[in-house]
Amino acid sequence: MLNVRNDADSMGHLLGLSKKIVLYGAGASARLILQAFYHRGLQERLAFIVDRNEALHHTWCEAEGDIRVEIISLGHFLGQFGSRIKEEFTLLITPFSAMWIVEELDRAALLDGVDTYIYPLVTGKVPPGAFSLRSLGKPVIPRRLHYIWIGDNAMSEDDEKNIESWRKFCPDYEIIKWDESNYDFRRNAYMREALEQKKYMYATDYARKDILYRYGGIYLDTDVELLKPLDDLLYNEAFIGIEDGGQLNSGSGLGSTAGHPAMLEMMEVYRHIRFALPDGKCNTKYNTFYETSYMIGKGYELENRYQKVNGVVCLPKEVLMPESVIGLYDTYTENTLANHKINPYDKTGVRKVLKRIMNGTTAETA
């Protein structure tokens, strides 16, 4: 079994370790970690990236800022370093849904006792501390709630109940539904291609920023249930919610005044990417990747704490997303206003691994 540790409360802690760091997983989360920390000490501590996909061996993981790090396959990593891994390397598991990976790597005997950290645990260990939901002395965001519903499917009963919660806690807000009848989802290539593939979730990613830039207000996904009024959030020029792993998620809540430059710049990101890829596959990177990458470029630190970056208030996950997507422990507090109910992963298995980590079960004590 891996020696999965939970004694690091920041990347600074990990960067101070004596062993070389190996990132496990070469996906979107690794790219964000590289973008956030490569030039803040990770470059000197990082050995390489390991991925279980053999086809990625001797390729490169690239991140914003002209960052390129070599990827080696898990098989080659085990074969090349063997029993030396425990003495020479610390693993940092990067993927968003990291818990099942722990059990997968437990089966590799050469990884027995290897010190291992999980990035969402590192960034979520220390509570964000005291903060105010208001950054201004007066409300500037209009009392307007936007949501998008496209395609032929009827809205679920759960989604209908969520919107009822909006009416309950924001009775004096204008609630606007956007669909194909009042918004042109073919106005750029990314949205048009997502619409053609009937990947409606992706087609909304650009539209929500465009709508806020034009009209101001607050955008919510339809699977967001309000638990309290949102009035305090109107006292910010713009805001977005943080989720597991320090990533930002506009679906949990994105608000701004009309004409806010950050909304325009986020829209610009989508003008330079395509949903339909040359190999016939779809670009399934979530909005969280593009929003977080954009904000890191403006100075956002990939951590679950209150930050104001580029005029956008980044709210700790307890505010809009207290229920962990990946099954970590929930963080409801007096600051919790809503719950973004996206939990596609089986919490049973996740909580089993989480309990093991919290109890300090290692290869030596199991």
Side-chain angles (χ1 to χ4, degrees):
M1 295 174 67
L2 300 172
N3 179 22
V4 186
R5 306 176 65 120
N6 192 39
D7 57 350
D9 55 15
S10 67
M11 276 296 289
H13 178 119
L14 293 182
L15 295 177
L17 299 177
S18 59
K19 299 176 185 176
K20 282 285 190 177
I21 294 174
V22 172
L23 300 186
Y24 185 83
S29 296
R31 287 173 167 81
L32 292 176
I33 291 171
L34 288 177
Q35 184 183 354
F37 299 106
Y38 191 75
H39 296 301
R40 293 169 53 199
L42 180 58
Q43 181 178 9
E44 291 75 25
R45 306 298 308 136
L46 182 62
F48 35 72
I49 296 175
V50 171
D51 197 278
R52 65 173 180 161
N53 186 351
E54 290 287 335
L56 295 180
H57 184 61
H58 279 331
T59 61
W60 300 89
C61 182
E62 300 181 347
E64 292 292 326
D66 297 322
I67 299 168
R68 298 177 80 238
V69 177
E70 184 181 14
I71 303 169
I72 66 173
S73 71
L74 177 60
H76 283 79
F77 177 54
L78 297 175
Q80 181 175 348
F81 294 98
S83 60
R84 295 160 46 202
I85 295 174
K86 181 178 177 180
E87 302 302 323
E88 295 185 19
F89 301 108
T90 294
L91 289 183
L92 177 61
I93 298 177
T94 67
F96 191 75
S97 53
M99 296 305 180
W100 65 269
I101 295 173
V102 171
E103 294 186 309
E104 178 183 83
L105 294 179
D106 278 341
R107 295 192 288 268
L110 290 172
L111 296 179
D112 283 352
V114 173
D115 289 341
T116 303
Y117 293 87
I118 298 173
Y119 189 76
L121 283 179
V122 173
T123 190
K125 184 178 180 183
V126 177
F131 61 91
S132 174
L133 296 173
R134 302 182 178 192
S135 65
L136 301 173
K138 63 179 182 179
V140 292
I141 294 177
R143 294 174 180 267
R144 191 174 290 143
L145 293 175
H146 304 275
Y147 72 99
I148 299 172
W149 191 264
I150 52 180
D152 299 326
N153 294 331
M155 186 174 291
S156 72
E157 183 177 342
D158 285 343
D159 286 344
E160 293 281 6
K161 289 180 179 178
N162 293 332
I163 294 175
E164 281 302 314
S165 75
W166 306 357
R167 297 189 178 100
K168 175 183 176 180
F169 290 107
C170 299
D172 55 346
Y173 286 53
E174 180 184 11
I175 298 178
I176 305 174
K177 173 186 176 182
W178 297 91
D179 56 27
E180 298 93 330
S181 70
N182 60 358
Y183 185 84
D184 180 11
F185 289 90
R186 299 181 178 277
R187 60 182 301 155
N188 72 19
Y190 180 90
M191 280 198 301
R192 181 180 67 252
E193 291 164 355
L195 197 69
E196 290 170 351
Q197 295 290 332
K198 297 187 177 181
K199 301 292 186 181
Y200 301 126
M201 174 179 69
Y202 296 95
T204 71
D205 293 347
Y206 173 93
R208 64 188 67 169
K209 286 95 173 176
D210 185 22
I211 290 165
L212 291 182
Y213 183 74
R214 295 187 195 186
Y215 305 104
I218 298 173
Y219 168 83
L220 298 173
D221 278 353
T222 57
D223 53 0
V224 173
E225 177 187 13
L226 292 190
L227 305 175
K228 292 180 182 178
L230 298 180
D231 292 0
D232 283 339
L233 299 185
L234 304 181
Y235 289 73
N236 301 290
E237 292 181 351
F239 69 85
I240 191 171
I242 300 174
E243 65 174 19
D244 292 320
Q247 297 189 44
L248 299 167
N249 188 342
S250 63
S252 302
L254 179 69
S256 80
T257 56
H260 195 285
M263 297 303 113
L264 185 63
E265 291 170 356
M266 287 187 192
M267 290 159 56
E268 192 66 22
V269 171
Y270 286 89
R271 292 196 179 102
H272 298 286
I273 58 176
R274 302 292 292 267
F275 186 76
L277 301 177
D279 61 4
K281 297 180 181 179
C282 296
N283 174 10
T284 55
K285 286 190 180 74
Y286 293 132
N287 62 289
T288 53
F289 172 80
Y290 292 113
E291 291 157 2
T292 308
S293 178
Y294 161 77
M295 288 292 284
I296 291 172
K298 296 296 181 179
Y300 175 72
E301 297 183 3
L302 196 60
E303 300 175 356
N304 180 42
R305 61 178 175 82
Y306 180 97
Q307 301 174 60
K308 188 172 183 180
V309 179
N310 198 33
V312 181
V313 168
C314 305
L315 297 165
K317 67 185 297 293
E318 66 190 69
V319 179
L320 299 172
M321 204 165 179
E323 192 169 316
S324 171
V325 174
I326 59 176
L328 304 182
Y329 293 125
D330 301 336
T331 54
Y332 287 89
T333 73
E334 67 276 3
N335 289 319
T336 301
L337 304 181
N339 178 29
H340 193 186
K341 299 184 288 189
I342 49 171
N343 287 287
Y345 304 105
D346 179 8
K347 286 187 177 181
T348 305
V350 169
R351 293 286 167 86
K352 177 183 175 183
V353 176
L354 187 60
K355 183 178 180 181
R356 164 188 154 192
I357 295 168
M358 298 308 181
N359 288 343
T361 306
T362 68
E364 287 79 12
T365 62

